Amino acid sequence: MNSNDEEIRSADGTRLLVRRAGAGDPVVLLHGSGGGLHSSASVAARLAGSYELWMPARRGYGPSDVPEGRKSFKDDVADLLAVVETIGRPVHLVGGSYGATLALHMAAAEQSRLQSLAVFEPPLFAAGQSIAPLLDRYQAALEREDAGEMSTVLNDVTRGPPAIVAAFAAAPGDKRPDPAEARRSAIGWLHDLEALTDDSTGTARWSSITVPTLLMQGADTWEPMPTTMNELAAAIPTARRVIWSRQSHFATMTAPDLVAVALRDFFAGPDSR
């Protein structure tokens, strides 16, 4: 998949690096916490033959700018709006995890900019002042470069079961993470936690979304995600929903074919089914 990187400036001057690949109807792919330009590569490679993919590194994640001060979803939406304005026509918007929560915010604020909305497991339960102590713990751990404590805090935020946390930690084996990439991810997580802390857990607010919407989830993802997705489906009753068996919150990485097929079918519209 051939791709090009370009810079886009948000309304406040924040520089965003955006990866572009393919040709056709525009699709914007939003990465989750801890991700970056590479996060959507597997899914994008399966769509690039039919669509023009735009993959921004969100603010707070290098090589995009890391502005001073506390980040909010309002900042994220402004950044996304700058990307869509650069594209120059309504887009199919796809978000995973934190990127899915951002996609919901964008759809609620700027529906006229979208052709459709597709979200994979937004962590709507991990928000509000209840996680403020976790933000404080994470920031303190980041300042003293305590990777173990940062990981513990993030597990508390995501509520991952111990067995899954252990398996995920063991997956790299003896391979050491690149220090620069690890630092970039850690800083991005901090700013995502800031926005989540200032957000709310309410799902009724998404009932204003009227663009065609696809809700995606893994059947094996742990609680409270299944309950959260049920609540989101009730808030957007016109949404189409797909649940993949034997998949969890990592489906966009472990099963990119499933994700790409679901998106292709959804983008094609009801007349194709």
Side-chain angles (χ1 to χ4, degrees), residues 18-40:
V18 182
R19 184 155 292 166
R20 191 173 92 181
D25 226 12
V27 178
V28 177
L29 300 168
L30 300 175
H31 67 82
S33 295
L37 287 174
H38 62 283
S39 298
S40 302

Side-chain angles (χ1 to χ4, degrees), residues 24-147:
D25 226 12
V27 178
V28 177
L29 300 168
L30 300 175
H31 67 82
S33 295
L37 287 174
H38 62 283
S39 298
S40 302
S42 295
V43 173
R46 289 159 171 80
L47 296 174
S50 304
Y51 299 95
E52 182 179 79
L53 291 310
W54 294 71
M55 297 161 279
R58 295 189 284 100
R59 83 164 51 203
Y61 288 89
S64 292
D65 283 349
V66 184
E68 301 248 342
R70 191 178 180 105
K71 190 187 81 166
S72 70
F73 276 109
K74 183 177 180 181
D75 297 322
D76 279 327
V77 168
D79 294 347
L80 184 50
L81 188 57
V83 174
V84 174
E85 287 177 343
T86 298
I87 296 170
R89 57 199 193 277
V91 305
H92 297 288
L93 182 60
V94 181
S97 197
Y98 179 100
T101 304
L102 168 55
L104 288 168
H105 277 276
M106 178 69 175
E110 298 284 349
Q111 295 201 58
S112 65
R113 308 287 185 149
L114 307 183
Q115 293 188 53
S116 71
L117 170 69
V119 296
F120 174 74
E121 295 192 328
L124 302 176
F125 58 87
Q129 288 305 300
S130 65
I131 68 168
L134 296 176
L135 169 61
D136 293 341
R137 280 175 54 198
Y138 185 87
Q139 185 163 18
L142 178 63
E143 289 172 355
R144 63 176 186 269
E145 300 185 354
D146 186 343

Side-chain angles (χ1 to χ4, degrees), residues 207-223:
S207 62
S208 65
I209 296 173
T210 58
V211 295
T213 300
L214 175 66
L215 307 181
M216 302 175 287
Q217 69 186 98
D220 293 348
T221 303
W222 53 91
E223 285 287 359

Side-chain angles (χ1 to χ4, degrees), residues 219-233:
D220 293 348
T221 303
W222 53 91
E223 285 287 359
M225 186 60 76
T227 296
T228 298
M229 293 302 292
N230 288 340
E231 292 173 351
L232 185 58

Side-chain angles (χ1 to χ4, degrees), residues 123-128 130-138 141 144 147-162 164-166 189 193 196-197 222-225:
L124 302 176
F125 58 87
S130 65
I131 68 168
L134 296 176
L135 169 61
D136 293 341
R137 280 175 54 198
Y138 185 87
R144 63 176 186 269
E149 172 65 359
M150 284 189 287
S151 179
T152 297
V153 173
L154 297 182
N155 292 335
D156 289 344
V157 172
T158 60
R159 307 188 199 180
I164 292 178
V165 171
W189 258 110
L193 288 173
L196 289 167
T197 300
W222 53 91
E223 285 287 359
M225 186 60 76

